Structures are given as structure tokens and as C-alpha cells.
């Protein structure tokens, strides 16, 4: 049977177009129930009578039909292995797909899990459940009617099947069908039509055997807050926002909350290079980090400057303070940051509405409530940029010392904090596995096990190289090839060789693991690698981009084993000038896999005359020439404090920590990897002018260099930033005889002025924009690490296609598809970097637990209420607060320090009596771990030298008060506290 669906559409030219579509209806679509005697089931029963849920609302066996809003709001409830025999209508499935792709994916996983008994009923093509849209009926109303129609049909259909005498002899209760909907209008209509119906909250609360499932209900509002006074301005409607954006009254951008000041954030918009500053709770207006927001720009007379104050919300239960007093206190705090010179002020605005929420699941801890026997609690996220979240839970005692996951449901105007609900527990606080899980989740790192479908595309073991493989590749097994990597490296991407040719020139080869031989385009393994984007390295843990069989075995260029490689080979003269180059797929057999230290020893040992030693010495000599040439072209030598941990093999806890050492061999490998990347970039850009995958490093805007230029000028140095070459020369001159670490600190500051390097497609930009600023290279890409970077896999495919070593395919040349891949890669690389830093911070805290050490350091920045101190020995950076305060019993009391530190805006110094702190000044600090805040353990920096009476700690080994008070930023005493006294 078929029906016609007609509708009209207006074209761009104003013509009316009538569109007629045929819609086929069938009578052979099964209901999926094992109770049915009428349907021809074309698959195993999904709805079975073996599951019976005990509900006080419906005291009989029942199936559940879900409305769309229940799926969208209560997916966390549905994912619990509690509800079975769920009917998912195609109407609902399609609505969820269009409204939220992430929830659609989660729903699909439930549907494909046979143990959960979720059955998809194709109601849109069943002749008894199809609902044609009526005149003047909205699409939403039509869909609601279709859901009710299907629920009514299911109930009637199943009751008819249970009227037989055979069923009645079983004495079993009749199974009915219940519709769950949170739409009040839809529910009222369902009740009028005689359908069994309930909302999600009522139904979950009625489940006798699962009382804790209530915790997972989406919380739009709390009863006690419904009559509360508004604390924020109302958001404009979507129509008002769109009209305002169209008329240029508002600007649209991505909101980024500040980590250091909870009353500050910024919105990145195209029109303003540095974004629009947002200050104050009302101006922030319930925006959460990552949201797409609409901003109204304030008049220039009301513009402010970014604060240099480190401000944390110390009072978790701030709702207990009367709102008038709290507003007054916050205004007092804002006055400190708004009183800035006109020259330092930047565009400032206020958020008038949310265009699109970017809420996700958040990791953190439950804050103990001040009220006994309450179900309402405050959740404190691990990410400082996320506000506290109010949740309801009946298992607070159990969750007290656990890391948990919470999601946001809503943020009403009358609530200081957003409302959310508990999702699941990750494990005990402080447990290494739990803390690593938090890091991975918070940085959106895909880390689940590879699926069976992905693993099915791996080669079967034992794997061997066949004669056909040898015939297609260049045999380089006789060359003295070796690899040089960090200690413990098992995913060896690259190997090198150098030999003298009969004509006196040198042949230099870079051999890269041929991962694309094993990962073919478009299969599940390729898609998974593309989604992950990069391997993520935590301390003592690696999250692979590709399965371990490839990363640590078949692709890894381990010593003494034949492996497939993609080789880039140059002929050079003795001065490292490239005379010829060639690329080919090869078979290699690395003669030795070495660490940087082992390779350095081999080079330095004059008695060592092996071919490998000779090769390494030549490579090292050439690398120094290549590096000097790059420096002369304006390449930058930057610095960042990096540390290495020795980890216990059983507990995975850090045993020792030290700053990473850089040897000549590090630079040697780096130079040839850079040369290979540049050589390949030139080749693929010439071959594929519109779709080559390249990497660029944009030149920073001049304002980015302001902190560097000011800091250097205070020390008597002028830093020129007009070109990379000028900057490089300026950095070389920043040397102080009495401070050997000064130049390194200047380079660390320079690193922080840089823009992020990004992947892009050649056809999307002009050639002048290909430039890599940090390397001073006109063109660049990534070719040398395909085991751990998907970008390199894309480049390998392009290079192979260009030399005829592999066939091309449609998506390889699709610019739009590759641009989307590049966007994902840029995001994944950024998150991987942040995750690695968070892992280092976690292990640093574990290392200092129960210890205190006095270490020499340097002042990196001077802030209004703190010094940013760098400890070279450990590569650590931390905040030394210049004013002390003491927590009162309720977290509100504050007593000011008698010591007065004066901040000088002009030369960025702090003075206390005769002691003046400048950037780059040497200091001695005492390091210890403050564990009073279990959510945010932090290293406490206390001043030892220069000695300030009443502020510095004694330099001997006597016990020191290790209270959280001395490490906290200043906060005001509230009027409520004064009244208490």
C-alpha cells in the first residue's frame, strides 16, 4: 500500500513548487513481542516476558513506549541496566537524530545491545500506525500524535494476542503498554485517548527495586527554588537574538571562562582580535565554558581591563549568604579589576543570550552539605572553568570520597548554580586509575577499548612478509639503519641511516613506519584512528591511536626485525646541501634501537668504529649544519619547563622527578625529521595543489608579545618582534652573567606568546599563509610519526599516490572532507597536550605528598596579589600568594595579613618594606602539598629567601605549619560574618 505526501516549497526566486512524495505502508512489520500470535517476526524476539519491572504505578507486566523528550533528557536513566522491554518508535529515533547526535549515538548503542531488549518499531511505515500530517498541524504536534497512535495500537494489539484460552490457562497477568512522556500537553491527550501514561520522574520513583535510580533523573528545577528571586538577567529569546545578530546589535562567539578568576571570561569573536572581555556575575549571565553566546558590547566608557587577580570562589554554599550582600561583595571585588588605565582597557561586553549550549559530562567530587539528612548537594567540578552544580542524591555518604560524573540539565535565573544530576562514580579519590580516568574524560580523549569490528581489520598472526611484498618494495635490509628514541619507547616511528657514496657525497635516509599498508582507507580501523587523531601520552600510560598489535609490534621499527617502511632519501654534499631526493616504499631491518643517551655515548666514544657509530657521527655533523642554517633563516629556539618521572612498575606512582635533559642526539633526530617533513610537504603541495595536508604556524599578533617586551625591557633588554629573525637575534642577546637561567626564562615567556600550530588543506589558503613561523619554513607538514598521528597517515597516502606506490581514492582528494578531518586533528592534538600537562601535575602532587623541600627558583611573573615562580630543578611553576588569610569554620571568615605588599603598575614590581620583587629575580621557596581541598590538591609555595619577617618561613628544617590558609588568595569578609561577631 502506498500513500502520497504533498507539500509546497517557495524557491529563492519566489516561485511556489509543489512536491509529491510516495510513502509506502506495509502490513508485515512485526511488533517484536514473544506474546504476539499475529505478527510475522523477522528476527529474534526483542520484547520478552522474562523481564518484569515492579512499579507502584503500574502493578502489572508492561512494555514502555518512549517520547522524544524522555530520550533527550533521561538518557542516563535509560543507560542503567534497569529498564527492559523498551519500544523505540522510528518517529522518536528520527527526532533524536536531528536534535542531538551524541544522544542518538548512545541510544543506538542501547538498541544494539541485545541484553537490554530495546526494540525499534517502524511505525512510520506500518499501515495501522502511520499518521498523516493534518492541515494547520505543526510537525511537533503530528509527531506527538504519531507516538500516541503507535502506543494505543501496541496496547490493543498485545491485548488481543493475550485473549486466547491458551494464554488464560497460564494465569499470567496481561502485559500492557505504557507511554512515558514529559510533555504535559501530550500526556493530557494520551489520558483522554485511554492510553496508560506517566512522566519519567513519576515512573522512576515508582520502581520498588531501584530507589537510587532517582539520582540520575534530569533536574530542570528544585521545588524550593521555584519562588526564589531572580539572580541573573533574563536571556533573550532565540528570535530576539537572531534579529540582534542580523542587525549587528549583538556579536556571536565562543565563551571561554577564566581559570584564575571565577568572575571573568571572554568571548572570541571575529571582529576583535583579543575577544570581548566579560566581567561580573550578571554579565557572565549563566554562560558555561564552551557555550556559543550572543554578546552586547558596552559603551567604550564602560570598558575594563583583564584582571591580574587570582580569585577563587571559596564559599561553596554561597546561597546561604543573602543575595543583596553577595552582590555588594562582588561589586567591591570588581572595582579592583575595573580601575585600570584607559590604555590597558579592552572591548568589554555582557552576555544577553545563549545561541547553543555545549554542556557535557563533568568529573569532580561531592561537597559535604552543611545540612544533615538533605538530598540536595553541591558538586565541585575538577575543571576550574566550570561552575559548581547543584544535584539531588540519596547516596551522598557513599559518594563522599569518590570521583563522580555529573551532567548539567538547566540553569534557571533564580539559581546561583546550574542544576544537574549524578551519572556514575569513577572510583576512589587519589587512586591512580581513577585520577587518570578523570584526566582522559575532562580532556575528551577517546580511550575505550578498540571494538571487535576495529580489531577484525588487523592482520592475522603469525604475520610474515611475502615474496609479492618484496617485489613491490625497495630492499634496504643491508643498510646500517638504526633508531634513536626516548627510553622505554615501543612505538618506534622512525629510523635513520647515513653512508658515503662512491662520488664522495653522502646518502642520508629517513625511514618511517609504513602504517598505511595495514590501515586501509574507509574501514573501521581507519575511522577509529581518524576519530582518535593522536596517541596520548600520560605519565606511565599511553592511549594508542591504533591497536597495540600495530603500534608496538608490526609497525614499530624495532631492532633486528624486518619491517615495512616509507623511505625519504637524499643525496647531500659534505655541507648538508640536498642534491637529489627520492621517495619509495621499502623493507628495512634496523640494526639497533637506541635511546638518546646510548646514541650519544656511541658518538662520543672515539674508540667505537662500527658502521652504526660512523653513521651517527656523520648524521650529527650534518644536523648541526642544518640547525645553524635554520637559525640563520630566523627559526626560533623556544623553551618550556619539562620533567620526567621514574614510575613504580606496580603502583604506577612516581618515585623520582627530574628536568628532562637535551642532548646532541635529540637535536640530530629532530633536524632530520624536520627536513623530511619539509621535503614531503614541498612534494605533495606541488602534486596536489588543492588537497595537500599541511601544517602552519601563524605569526602572533604584535599584542601577544607585550608581556615579553615589557619583561625584557625592565631587565634592560630590547626585544624586536617584527620578524622571526629579529626575534631570534633579540633572544640570543638576552643574557645575564649573574643569572644563567635568565635566557631560558625569556624563551619560556616567548613560547607563551606563540599561536597554536594547525593542520590545514592547501587549497583553503594562499601560499603566503602556509608559512611556519616557529621553524621559519615556507611550507611544512607531518610525515614522520604515522603510528601516533593520523595527519601523517593522510600525508603518507598522498605521497604514495603521487609516486604510484598506492592507488588514490575519492575522499583523498575531497577538500571539504579533509578540512573536517583537519579540524578534528587540531582539536585532538590540543586536548592531548592539555591531558599530558594535567598528568604531569597529578604526578608532581603525588611525588610531593608528605614531603617538603626548599628549592631555588625564579620569579616568572609579578601579579597584583601573587608571584608566579618557576623551579628549574623540577620544571615546576606555581603561585606564591603575597597576602595570607585564614579560613573560618564556615569558609566565610577572613582576617587580613598585617604585612602590606604594594604592587607597582608601571614597572610590575611588588614591594614589602625594603624587599622588591622583579620578574626573573632569584628566590628560594619551600614546596609542600596542600591536601586540605581534596578536589584541587595543589603545591604550596612559601617564601624562604629573601627573608621577610612575619611572611617568610625559617630556612632550617623545623616543622612548618602546613595549613591551606597560607596558600589561598585573599577574599573579603562578608557582612554576615561581621554580624556573627
Amino acid at each position: 500500500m502506498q500513500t502520497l505526501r504533498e507539500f509546497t516549497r517557495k524557491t529563492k526566486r519566489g516561485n511556489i513548487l509543489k512536491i509529491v512524495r510516495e510513502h509506502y505502508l506495509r502490513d508485515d512489520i512485526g511488533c517484536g513481542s514473544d506474546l504476539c500470535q499475529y505478527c510475522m517476526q523477522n528476527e529474534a524476539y526483542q520484547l520478552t516476558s522474562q523481564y518484569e519491572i515492579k512499579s507502584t504505578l503500574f502493578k502489572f507486566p508492561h512494555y514502555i513506549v518512549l517520547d522524544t523528550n524522555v530520550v533527550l533528557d533521561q538518557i542516563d536513566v535509560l543507560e542503567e541496566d534497569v529498564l527492559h522491554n523498551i519500544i523505540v518508535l522510528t518517529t522518536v529515533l528520527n527526532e533524536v537524530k536531528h536534535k542531538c547526535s551524541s544522544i542518538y549515538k548512545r541510544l543506538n548503542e542501547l538498541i544494539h545491545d541485545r541484553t537490554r531488549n530495546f526494540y525499534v518499531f517502524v511505525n512510520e511505515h506500518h499501515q495501522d500506525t502511520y499518521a498523516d500530517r493534518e492541515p494547520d498541524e505543526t510537525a511537533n504536534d503530528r509527531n506527538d500524535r504519531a507516538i500516541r497512535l503507535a502506543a494505543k495500537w501496541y496496547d490493543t494489539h498485545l491485548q488481543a494476542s493475550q485473549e486466547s484460552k491458551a494464554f488464560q490457562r497460564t494465569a499470567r497477568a496481561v502485559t500492557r503498554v505504557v507511554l512515558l512522556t514529559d510533555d504535559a500537553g501530550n500526556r493530557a491527550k494520551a489520558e483522554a485517548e485511554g492510553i496508560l501514561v506517566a512522566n519519567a520522574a513519576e515512573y522512576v520513583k515508582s520502581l520498588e527495586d531501584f530507589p537510587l535510580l532517582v539520582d540520575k533523573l534530569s533536574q530542570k528545577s528544585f521545588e524550593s527554588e521555584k519562588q526564589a528571586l531572580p539572580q541573573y538577567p533574563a536571556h533573550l529569546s532565540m528570535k530576539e537574538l537572531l534579529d540582534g545578530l542580523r542587525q549587528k546589535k549583538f556579536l556571536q562567539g565562543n565563551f571561554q571562562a577564566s581559570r584564575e578568576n571565577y568572575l571573568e571570561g571572554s568571548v572570541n569573536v571575529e571582529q576583535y582580535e583579543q575577544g570581548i572581555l566579560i566581567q561580573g556575575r550578571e554579565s557572565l549571565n549563566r554562560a558555561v565554558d564552551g557555550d556559543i553566546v550572543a554578546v552586547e558590547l558596552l559603551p567604550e566608557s564602560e570598558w575594563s581591563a583583564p584582571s591580574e587577580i587570582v580569585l577563587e570562589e571559596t564559599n561553596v554554599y554561597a546561597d546561604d549568604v543573602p543575595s543583596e550582600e553577595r552582590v555588594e561583595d562582588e561589586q567591591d571585588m570588581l572595582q579592583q579589576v575595573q580601575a585600570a588605565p584607559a590604555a590597558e582597557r579592552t572591548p568589554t561586553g555582557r552576555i544577553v543570550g545563549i545561541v547553543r549550549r555545549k554542556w557535557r559530562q563533568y568529573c569532580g567530587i561531592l561537597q559535604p552539605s552543611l545540612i544533615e539528612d538533605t538530598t540536595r548537594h553541591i558538586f565541585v567540578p575538577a575543571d576550574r572553568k566550570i561552575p559548581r552544580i547543584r544535584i539531588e542524591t540519596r547516596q551522598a555518604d557513599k559518594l563522599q570520597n569518590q570521583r563522580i560524573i555529573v551532567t548539567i540539565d538547566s540553569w534557571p535565573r533564580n539559581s546561583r548554580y546550574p542544576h544537574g544530576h549524578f551519572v556514575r562514580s569513577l572510583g576512589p579519590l587519589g587512586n591512580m586509575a581513577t585520577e587518570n580516568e578523570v584526566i582522559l574524560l575532562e580532556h575528551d580523549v577517546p580511550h575505550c577499548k578498540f571494538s571487535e569490528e576495529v580489531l577484525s581489520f588487523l592482520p592475522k598472526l603469525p604475520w610474515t612478509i611475502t615474496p609479492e611484498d618484496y617485489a613491490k618494495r625497495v630492499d634496504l635490509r643491508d643498510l646500517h639503519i638504526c633508531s634513536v628514541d626516548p627510553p622505554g619507547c615501543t612505538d618506534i616511528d622512525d629510523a635513520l641511516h647515513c653512508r658515503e657514496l662512491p662520488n664522495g657525497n653522502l646518502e642520508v635516509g629517513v625511514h618511517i613506519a609504513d602504517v598505511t599498508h595495514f590501515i586501509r582507507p574507509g574501514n573501521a580501523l581507519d575511522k577509529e584512528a581518524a576519530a582518535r587523531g593522536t596517541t596520548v601520552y600520560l605519565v606511565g600510560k599511553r592511549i594508542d591511536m591504533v591497536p597495540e598489535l600495530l603500534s608496538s609490534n608490526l609497525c614499530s621499527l624495532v631492532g633486528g626485525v624486518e619491517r615495512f617502511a616509507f623511505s625519504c632519501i637524499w643525496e647531500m654534499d659534505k655541507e648538508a646541501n640536498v642534491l637529489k631526493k627520492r621517495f619509495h616504499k621499502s623493507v628495512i631491518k634496523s640494526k639497533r634501537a637506541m635511546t638518546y643517551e646510548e646514541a650519544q655515548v656511541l658518538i662520543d666514544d672515539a674508540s667505537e668504529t662500527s658502521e652504526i657509530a660512523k653513521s651517527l657521527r656523520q648524521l650529527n655533523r650534518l644536523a648541526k649544519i642544518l640547525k645553524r642554517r635554520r637559525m640563520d633563516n630566523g627559526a626560533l629556539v623556544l623553551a618550556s619547563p619539562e620533567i620526567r618521572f621514574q614510575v613504580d612498575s606496580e603502583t604506577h606512582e612516581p618515585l623520582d622527578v627530574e628536568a628532562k635533559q637535551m642532548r646532541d642526539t635529540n637535536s640530530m633526530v629532530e633536524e632530520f625529521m624536520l627536513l623530511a617533513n619539509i621535503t614531503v610537504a614541498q612534494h605533495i603541495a606541488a602534486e596536489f595543489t588543492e588537497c595537500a595536508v599541511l601544517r602552519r604556524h601563524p605569526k602572533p599578533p604584535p599584542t601577544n608579545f607585550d608581556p615579553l617586551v615589557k619583561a625584557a625591557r625592565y631587565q634592560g633588554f630590547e626585544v624586536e618582534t617584527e620578524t622571526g629573525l629579529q626575534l631570534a637575534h633579540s633572544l640570543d642577546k638576552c643574557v645575564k652573567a649573574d643569572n644563567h637561567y635568565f635566557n631560558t626564562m625569556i624563551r619560556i615567556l616567548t613560547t607563551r606568546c606563540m599561536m597554536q600550530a594547525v593542520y590545514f588543506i592547501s587549497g583553503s589558503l594562499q601560499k603566503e599563509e602556509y608559512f611556519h613561523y616557529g621553524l621559519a619554513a615556507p611550507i611544512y607538514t607531518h610525515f614522520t610519526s604515522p603510528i601516533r598521528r593520523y595527519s601523517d597517515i593522510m600525508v603518507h597516502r598522498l605521497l604514495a599516490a603521487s609516486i604510484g606506490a598506492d592507488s588514490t581514492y575519492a575522499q583523498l582528494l575531497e577538500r571539504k572532507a579533509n578540512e573536517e578531518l583537519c579540524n578534528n586533528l587540531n582539536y585532538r592534538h590540543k586536548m592531548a597536550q592539555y591531558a599530558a600537562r594535567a598528568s604531569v601535575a597529578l604526578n608532581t602532587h603525588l611525588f610531593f605528598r608528605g614531603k617538603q623541600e626548599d628549592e631555588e627558583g625564579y620569579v616568572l611573573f609579578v601579579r597584583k596579589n601573587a608571584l608566579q615562580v618557576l623551579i628549574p630543578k623540577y620544571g615546576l611553576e606555581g603561585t606564591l600568594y603575597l597576602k595570607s588569610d585564614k579560613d573560618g569554620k564556615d569558609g566565610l571568615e577572613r582576617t587580613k595579613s598585617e604585612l602590606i605588599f604594594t604592587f607597582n603598575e608601571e614597572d610590575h614590581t611588588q614591594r614589602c618594606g625594603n624587599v622588591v620583587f622583579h620578574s626573573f629575580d632569584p628566590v628560594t621557596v619551600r614546596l609542600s602539598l596542600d591536601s586540605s581541598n581534596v578536589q584541587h590538591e595543589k603545591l604550596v609555595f612559601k617564601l624562604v629567601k629573601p627573608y621577610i619577617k612575619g611572611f617568610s618561613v625559617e630556612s632550617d628544617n623545623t616543622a612548618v605549619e602546613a595549613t591551606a590558609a597560607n596558600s589561598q588568595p585573599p577574599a573579603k569578609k562578608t557582612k554576615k560574618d561581621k554580624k556573627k561577631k
Side-chain angles (χ1 to χ4, degrees), residues 19 54 73 86 99 136 141 150 196 208 295 559 580 609 652 662 703 765 772 774 806 816 827 833-834 847 937 973:
I19 297 175
K54 293 179 182 177
D73 292 339
I86 306 292
K99 289 185 177 180
D136 300 325
D141 287 345
L196 296 174
E208 297 175 358
V295 181
K580 295 178 185 176
T609 58
H652 301 292
M662 297 299 288
T703 51
L765 294 171
H772 195 292
D806 204 346
K816 189 175 180 183
Y827 171 71
Q833 287 178 335
Y834 292 163
F847 176 75
E937 283 190 333
K973 183 187 291 184

Side-chain angles (χ1 to χ4, degrees), residues 715-975:
Q715 299 296 319
F717 297 96
E718 283 298 323
V719 175
E720 300 289 336
T721 61
E722 196 157 321
T723 67
L725 188 59
Q726 285 180 327
L727 177 60
H729 288 164
S730 297
L731 294 178
D732 290 339
K733 294 173 185 174
C734 292
V735 177
K736 294 182 107 179
D738 59 343
N739 186 345
H740 68 279
Y741 201 68
F742 175 71
N743 187 258
T744 303
M745 287 191 289
I746 282 286
R747 293 183 190 276
I748 289 172
L749 283 185
T750 309
T751 303
R752 295 176 186 188
C753 300
M754 294 294 120
M755 306 285 282
Q756 186 86 22
V758 291
Y759 297 108
F760 70 102
I761 301 301
S762 56
S764 62
L765 294 171
Q766 298 296 317
K767 285 190 177 180
E768 304 79 55
E769 296 176 278
Y770 293 3
F771 191 72
H772 195 292
Y773 181 77
L775 299 174
I779 192 166
Y780 191 66
T781 193
H782 274 161
F783 163 75
T784 54
S785 295
I787 293 177
R788 58 188 179 88
R789 290 191 303 234
Y790 190 78
S791 55
D792 303 53
I793 289 178
M794 297 169 73
V795 170
H796 275 229
R797 288 173 177 163
L798 289 165
L799 184 60
S802 72
I803 63 172
D806 204 346
S807 56
T808 186
Y809 57 98
Q811 192 177 339
L812 186 68
L813 308 178
E814 281 183 18
R815 196 171 96 183
K816 189 175 180 183
N818 287 333
E819 280 178 352
E820 290 176 3
L821 277 172
C822 284
N823 290 337
N824 179 59
L825 295 180
N826 291 329
Y827 171 71
R828 293 294 179 203
H829 275 264
K830 183 171 68 173
M831 289 296 106
Q833 287 178 335
Y834 292 163
R837 291 174 197 165
S839 180
V840 168
L842 167 65
N843 281 270
T844 304
H845 291 170
L846 291 174
F847 176 75
F848 278 100
R849 188 168 285 167
K851 299 178 186 174
Q852 63 176 29
E853 294 186 15
D854 290 359
E855 294 293 344
E856 293 181 2
Y858 296 92
V859 176
L860 203 55
F861 298 105
V862 178
R863 301 191 185 279
K864 285 185 179 178
N865 65 338
L867 302 177
Q868 205 74 12
V869 178
L870 180 69
I871 311 296
K873 178 180 175 181
Y874 295 126
L876 295 175
E877 191 181 317
T879 306
L880 194 157
Y881 293 104
L882 296 180
K883 295 177 183 178
S884 63
D885 62 289
K886 296 180 180 178
D887 287 337
K889 60 184 179 181
D890 60 357
L892 293 173
E893 267 185 55
R894 293 284 181 263
T895 60
K896 291 185 179 178
S897 169
E898 294 176 8
L899 291 163
I900 297 173
F901 285 84
T902 308
F903 179 69
N904 189 317
E905 292 271 2
E906 291 184 10
D907 59 2
H908 274 243
T909 60
Q910 285 277 6
R911 175 184 292 275
C912 181
N914 295 326
V915 179
V916 182
F917 293 101
H918 305 80
S919 292
F920 311 115
D921 280 356
V923 291
T924 301
V925 295
R926 177 163 294 163
L927 302 176
S928 60
L929 188 68
D930 171 18
S931 300
S932 60
N933 183 340
V934 291
Q935 169 72 317
H936 294 123
E937 283 190 333
K938 58 187 175 184
L939 277 175
V940 179
F941 284 58
K942 294 181 181 178
L943 187 66
V944 177
K945 294 178 184 177
Y947 184 77
I948 299 174
K949 190 174 182 181
F951 181 76
S952 298
V953 293
E954 299 296 331
S955 57
D956 58 19
N957 293 325
T958 55
V960 183
E961 262 186 53
T963 59
N966 290 340
S967 66
Q968 295 293 329
K972 280 183 61 64
K973 183 187 291 184
T974 66
K975 291 182 179 177

Side-chain angles (χ1 to χ4, degrees), residues 128-393:
D128 295 330
T129 58
Y130 173 70
D132 208 355
R133 188 169 168 182
E134 295 175 351
D136 300 325
E137 186 177 39
T138 66
N140 188 60
D141 287 345
R142 180 262 164 204
N143 288 342
D144 286 347
R145 186 163 57 84
I147 292 167
R148 295 196 302 273
L149 181 61
K152 181 78 171 173
W153 175 86
Y154 245 108
D155 195 37
T156 307
H157 178 74
L158 289 179
Q159 284 189 72
S161 292
Q162 297 171 87
E163 288 174 353
S164 67
K165 291 181 180 179
F167 179 83
Q168 290 173 0
R169 279 197 294 271
T170 64
R172 284 163 52 193
V174 174
T175 298
R176 301 290 301 277
V177 173
V178 174
L179 172 64
L180 291 190
T181 178
D182 286 340
D183 182 334
N186 197 23
R187 177 177 179 169
K189 289 176 183 176
E191 287 172 341
E193 293 170 15
I195 298 169
L196 296 174
V197 63
N199 66 38
E202 288 173 345
Y203 185 77
V204 169
K205 289 173 183 176
S206 77
L207 300 179
E208 297 175 358
D209 298 334
F210 304 99
L212 295 181
L213 192 61
V214 175
D215 287 358
K216 302 208 170 190
L217 282 170
S218 173
Q219 296 286 354
K220 297 293 184 185
S221 63
F222 292 107
E223 287 298 322
S224 59
E225 283 183 350
K226 287 183 178 176
Q227 304 303 319
L229 293 171
Q231 298 194 29
Y232 296 94
H235 286 153
L236 298 182
S237 68
M238 188 55 69
K239 183 179 183 304
E240 290 172 311
L241 290 180
L242 294 175
D243 288 345
L245 291 168
R246 200 177 297 114
Q247 295 164 15
K248 305 288 174 70
K249 281 170 57 183
F250 307 140
L251 299 167
Q252 178 177 314
N254 181 274
F255 173 70
Q256 290 187 323
S258 168
R259 285 183 189 278
E260 297 183 332
N261 186 342
Y262 78 99
L263 290 175
E264 191 170 277
S266 63
V267 178
N268 296 325
V269 296
E270 290 181 8
Q271 295 90 328
Y272 293 90
E273 198 174 78
Q274 290 188 314
I276 297 175
L277 180 65
I278 311 292
Q279 287 181 327
R281 191 178 293 278
E282 287 197 0
S283 294
L284 293 169
N285 199 5
R286 294 171 282 157
V288 176
D289 187 66
D291 286 348
I292 307 297
V293 300
V295 181
E296 181 181 37
L297 199 64
L298 296 176
E300 199 165 336
S301 59
E302 296 179 33
W303 286 7
S304 180
S307 73
E308 293 189 12
I309 289 177
V310 180
L311 197 61
E312 296 176 17
E313 189 171 20
T314 51
N315 179 21
V316 175
Y317 289 93
D319 276 357
D320 298 333
V321 183
S323 57
E324 297 85 2
E325 293 181 15
R326 191 168 62 242
V327 168
E328 188 180 323
D329 290 337
E330 288 170 2
Q331 285 175 346
D332 289 346
M333 286 187 271
L334 281 173
Q335 282 175 6
Q336 298 177 58
V337 297
Q338 288 171 338
E344 293 182 14
R345 296 188 180 190
T346 62
T348 308
R350 65 185 186 93
I351 292 170
V352 295
I354 310 295
V355 177
R356 187 164 70 252
R357 288 289 191 190
K358 286 291 186 76
W359 291 342
R360 57 179 174 84
Q361 294 184 340
Y362 303 100
C363 304
I365 61 168
L366 206 61
Q367 189 74 22
S369 177
L370 301 176
I371 305 167
E372 290 185 11
D373 301 323
T374 182
T375 58
R376 289 179 57 184
H377 297 273
I378 295 293
F379 167 81
V380 184
D383 188 348
R384 292 181 184 275
K385 291 163 61 166
I386 305 301
R388 273 92 182 212
I389 301 168
R390 191 180 297 287
I391 68 168
E392 277 196 7
T393 178

Side-chain angles (χ1 to χ4, degrees), residues 429-450:
L429 272 168
N431 176 275
M432 182 59 81
T434 302
E435 300 301 339
N436 277 335
E437 177 82 359
V438 170
I439 288 171
L440 295 172
L441 288 169
E442 280 298 302
H443 295 93
D444 195 18
V445 175
H447 60 285
C448 56
K449 290 183 179 178
F450 290 99

